[in-house]
Amino acid sequence: MENITELVRHRRSVRTFDGKEVSENDKEKLALFMEKIENPYGIPISFRFLDGKKQNLSCPVVKGTDLYVGAKAPRMPHIEEAFGYSFERFVLYAQSIGIGTVWIGGTMDRSAFERAMVLEQNEMMPCISPLGYPAEKRSVRENMMRKAIKADSRDPFERIFFDGTFGAPLTEKAAGRLAGALETVRWAPSAVNKQPWRVMVDKNGAHFYLKRTKGYISEAAGDMQKIDLGIALCHFALAAEESGRNVSFSISDPGIATDADTEYIASYLLS
């Protein structure tokens, strides 16, 4: 893939496609990549192409493509974080070869997509994405959706990253060599652009927390904001690796004091 920072900054959710079928060459590239995707939790995520016409799948916010990708996984601890990490790896690779995507967890005929994914009782399919070549112009509906959630804006660096304690905002200058990796976290996609990640940086590394907003958990899709944290972890790990930083994954809570609606998720420790 090309530079991860450039991919993250230039990627946009795509709901309006140009109507051309994805080439067999590009589908083969995607298929090969999805077979080798891993996540730090070691949880298997199974990807599958879905045909909207043949499998009678509908998604009212998507226009110009009938090709989708779905993914499913066994219900178990940390499944949402693992799913977010793995699915975002696929999304970024698709972006790198010119394929548009958008995370969809609600605005679809979920039962039809779950049947197409051959979902078993102990499995879950949190999200799907259409696949195709982006249209030159977005639809009016898509533009309205993006405007409503302020899709092109993000919280300031100092609001979501902290220096040793949640009472001390972290500046880009103070973040030093981790600033670039943290910036890719800041620009990560999230459900309704809530940006629920909070990252505490100390001498040991970067500790990721979920600043929860109520209303983003369902039986079918799971905890959408933990999926968002999986996306953030993916961005950080790829960017840190690309910059030459040696980091190791951990889910050992460092015991940093938080408020009631902030939950520890995972850490990347410096070595």
Side-chain angles (χ1 to χ4, degrees):
M1 291 194 298
E2 64 184 88
N3 181 278
I4 184 65
T5 302
E6 293 299 311
L7 280 176
V8 168
R9 284 295 283 115
H10 291 113
R11 182 190 171 270
R12 297 290 184 272
S13 295
V14 179
R15 300 172 180 85
T16 311
F17 299 86
D18 68 2
K20 297 177 183 177
E21 290 189 10
V22 175
S23 71
E24 288 302 316
N25 183 50
D26 283 340
K27 283 187 68 175
E28 183 177 354
K29 290 178 181 177
L30 293 170
L32 289 173
F33 187 82
M34 68 172 62
E35 288 179 359
K36 58 185 180 182
I37 295 175
E38 297 179 344
N39 60 73
Y41 294 91
I43 297 175
I45 310 295
S46 176
F47 289 80
R48 177 177 296 186
F49 290 128
L50 305 172
D51 188 310
K53 285 184 177 179
K54 292 181 179 180
Q55 296 174 293
N56 196 29
L57 306 174
S58 63
C59 185
V61 299
V62 173
K63 181 180 179 181
T65 186
D66 292 307
L67 179 65
Y68 295 86
V69 62
K72 64 179 183 177
R75 293 180 180 271
M76 59 192 300
H78 304 297
I79 179 54
E80 290 95 345
E81 301 98 298
F83 184 95
Y85 190 105
S86 292
F87 205 87
E88 181 67 359
R89 287 217 66 181
F90 178 88
V91 162
L92 290 173
Y93 178 73
Q95 165 80 4
S96 75
I97 63 170
I99 304 296
T101 59
V102 59
W103 285 77
I104 294 178
T107 50
M108 60 174 164
D109 183 346
R110 174 169 284 278
S111 60
F113 276 93
E114 289 181 347
R115 286 194 298 271
M117 284 296 297
V118 194
L119 199 70
E120 302 292 340
Q121 187 173 5
N122 68 330
E123 295 178 325
M124 62 189 301
M125 182 202 75
C127 301
I128 57 93
S129 173
L131 298 172
Y133 304 112
E136 290 187 9
K137 293 184 179 180
R138 299 188 184 106
S139 68
V140 173
R141 181 172 186 171
E142 181 170 8
N143 281 328
M144 291 176 63
M145 291 176 66
R146 293 184 63 83
K147 184 177 180 180
I149 65 171
K150 300 180 180 178
D152 295 317
S153 66
R154 293 294 188 274
D155 286 335
F157 197 94
E158 293 82 359
R159 183 177 178 183
I160 54 178
F161 304 128
F162 299 87
D163 192 354
T165 171
F166 279 107
L170 180 69
T171 64
E172 289 188 62
K173 183 177 181 180
R177 291 179 62 194
L178 287 181
L182 291 172
E183 186 67 5
T184 67
V185 171
R186 193 171 79 87
W187 282 99
S190 58
V192 200
N193 200 25
K194 287 293 184 182
Q195 306 163 62
W197 37 76
R198 300 293 183 268
V199 184
M200 182 74 66
V201 175
D202 61 18
K203 63 181 181 180
N204 297 315
H207 311 285
F208 287 70
Y209 292 79
L210 165 58
K211 182 72 170 180
R212 185 173 296 287
T213 301
K214 293 181 180 180
Y216 288 87
I217 301 177
S218 70
E219 176 64 23
D223 190 328
M224 297 300 291
Q225 293 197 311
K226 283 190 175 180
I227 292 174
D228 293 340
L229 264 293
I231 297 172
L233 289 168
C234 175
H235 282 205
F236 183 89
L238 293 177
E241 178 183 344
E242 187 174 77
S243 70
R245 298 307 306 262
N246 292 320
V247 294
S248 58
F249 183 73
S250 171
I251 54 173
S252 179
D253 191 335
I256 298 169
T258 64
D259 55 31
D261 60 352
T262 303
E263 176 184 351
Y264 173 73
I265 297 296
S267 302
Y268 273 106
L269 305 178
L270 299 174
S271 58

